[in-house]
Amino acid sequence: MTPNRATFPVRLALSLLGCAATLPVLATEAGVDNIGPGTDGFFMLPLEVDSLPENMVAFNLYYNHYKSRKLNISSLGGKVPNVEIESTAVIPRLDYLSPVRIFGGRLAGYIAQPWLKQEVSAFGLSDTREGMGDTTIAPIILWDMGKDLTLGAAVEITVPTGEYSVDRLANTSNNFYTYKPLFSFTWLPTERTEVSMKTTYSFNEKNKDTDYKSGQIFHFDYSASYKITDDLMLGINGYYLKQTTDDKQFGHTVQFAGEDVSDGVRGKVFAIGPALHFTFLKYASAEIRWAKEFDVENRPEGEMLWAKVSIPYAF
């Protein structure tokens, strides 16, 4: 629901390699997606939803920093040299819980609008862009399964509201719509432990400026934590992402040097790291999470830092 990974235009990358008649591909166009992997960690859903006030809002403020110096792309023969990608984002998100019931659960929704700074160096060139990123909105249904378990289902829609140019190394928009069915849960196995997970499956529309359609993606964020004190929890968090269909351009599988790319340049990544969650003012919370990426294919490989403050309000 959040920042697009820093990107550079594949057309320019290929022209620098002396093959400007075709486009190399980076596991979804320019190696980016509209997922924001690792966005959610502790308590992805509120507990005891049916006992909450009829109307509630929560103001969430996220901070994200991602840095990578590795990029392995099959269509470019493996490691891309001299790459540095750095992305910083501040993302306000507003959640609303309504009294409306549908399919046995409570109807809610959220909207997130990132502000991004993208810094990219590749092939001896560099670029920096800063501005509004792509907007994500979603209706969601929350099911109260008892005091220790909440389930949620949603459809996230990411709208390309940021700035994009095919001639830039860095952009604050991916320039395509994404529709993501989502399922999530928060579960307390014991009085002092918490487990949360969010799974999505992304359907990407075509980038009309490049006639490029990024493949479909399965992804999940996860968190497992233990309560050290009444207000402090320590845990692990991370994410997994795997592209399930090929990237397409001009109606067929993408090509490099006139040949179809055998693996469809499908991306994959797994990340894991430590996390800390603190409760204050009884219901408000703050958290900080870090994750290191492993087993990466056709994507940048780096480190992700997330921080979040959440303040609920009933009316």
Side-chain angles (χ1 to χ4, degrees):
M1 59 158 242
T2 38
N4 62 311
R5 194 68 54 82
T7 162
F8 55 91
V10 290
R11 186 181 302 277
L12 175 60
L14 188 55
S15 68
L16 290 169
L17 293 174
C19 306
T22 57
L23 286 167
V25 287
L26 305 181
T28 67
E29 188 176 11
V32 302
D33 54 65
N34 281 325
I35 296 172
T39 301
D40 293 303
F42 301 92
F43 295 99
M44 295 182 189
L45 300 176
L47 292 168
E48 299 184 86
V49 174
D50 288 347
S51 66
L52 295 176
E54 285 194 348
N55 292 280
M56 286 194 69
V57 295
F59 177 73
N60 308 282
L61 186 64
Y62 296 82
Y63 170 83
N64 170 254
H65 185 262
Y66 177 82
K67 189 167 186 177
S68 171
R69 286 191 171 93
K70 294 181 180 180
L71 181 61
N72 293 325
I73 302 298
S74 62
S75 60
L76 296 177
K79 183 177 179 180
V80 179
N82 303 319
V83 170
E84 185 168 346
I85 300 170
E86 191 162 0
S87 175
T88 302
V90 176
I91 313 111
R93 186 180 107 169
L94 185 66
D95 299 355
Y96 170 63
L97 177 64
S98 81
V100 177
R101 292 195 170 272
I102 183 170
F103 302 123
R106 288 186 66 176
L107 180 64
Y110 52 88
I111 181 169
Q113 178 58 67
W115 185 267
L116 306 175
K117 182 178 181 181
Q118 309 280 36
E119 300 173 87
V120 182
S121 297
F123 301 100
L125 301 175
S126 62
D127 191 17
T128 299
R129 297 289 167 178
E130 185 172 356
M132 185 175 71
D134 292 341
T135 306
T136 295
I137 57 175
I140 184 170
I141 303 172
L142 302 174
W143 289 277
D144 188 334
M145 308 301 292
K147 66 177 184 178
D148 298 329
L149 176 64
T150 299
L151 306 179
V155 177
E156 287 190 349
I157 303 170
T158 299
V159 181
T161 53
E163 294 186 1
Y164 175 85
S165 171
V166 71
D167 297 322
R168 293 176 179 171
L169 285 169
N171 283 294
T172 61
S173 173
N174 288 334
N175 204 41
F176 55 82
Y177 286 82
T178 298
Y179 306 93
K180 300 187 287 290
L182 177 155
F183 175 77
S184 57
F185 70 83
T186 290
W187 175 43
L188 304 185
T190 71
E191 291 183 356
R192 305 192 72 85
T193 56
E194 171 263 349
V195 176
S196 288
M197 182 175 289
K198 178 186 77 175
T199 64
T200 69
Y201 193 87
S202 296
F203 298 89
N204 298 304
E205 292 289 338
K206 184 185 297 183
N207 181 341
K208 294 181 179 180
D209 288 354
T210 59
D211 203 52
Y212 196 109
K213 186 172 182 178
S214 298
Q216 298 169 18
I217 301 173
F218 169 76
H219 144 265
F220 65 81
D221 293 343
Y222 65 91
S223 169
S225 60
Y226 182 79
K227 183 178 289 188
I228 304 299
T229 70
D230 288 344
D231 298 323
L232 181 65
M233 301 189 75
L234 297 178
I236 60 170
N237 83 120
Y239 48 89
Y240 173 78
L241 181 152
K242 185 172 178 60
Q243 187 172 331
T244 59
T245 65
D246 294 346
D247 287 358
K248 303 278 187 178
Q249 190 173 38
F250 308 122
H252 55 75
T253 300
V254 293
Q255 294 186 335
F256 181 75
E259 301 290 335
D260 287 351
V261 179
S262 60
D263 65 355
V265 209
R266 301 187 185 191
K268 183 175 72 170
V269 62
F270 171 76
I272 188 170
L276 181 149
H277 179 275
F278 180 73
T279 303
F280 63 98
L281 300 177
K282 193 174 182 178
Y283 297 113
S285 65
E287 62 188 61
I288 185 166
R289 295 177 285 108
W290 177 86
K292 167 67 176 170
E293 294 181 330
F294 299 94
D295 193 25
V296 180
E297 297 178 3
N298 292 313
R299 293 174 62 87
E301 178 182 341
E303 300 174 357
M304 183 84 75
L305 174 70
W306 282 99
K308 176 187 175 184
V309 175
S310 181
I311 302 175
Y313 175 75
F315 61 97

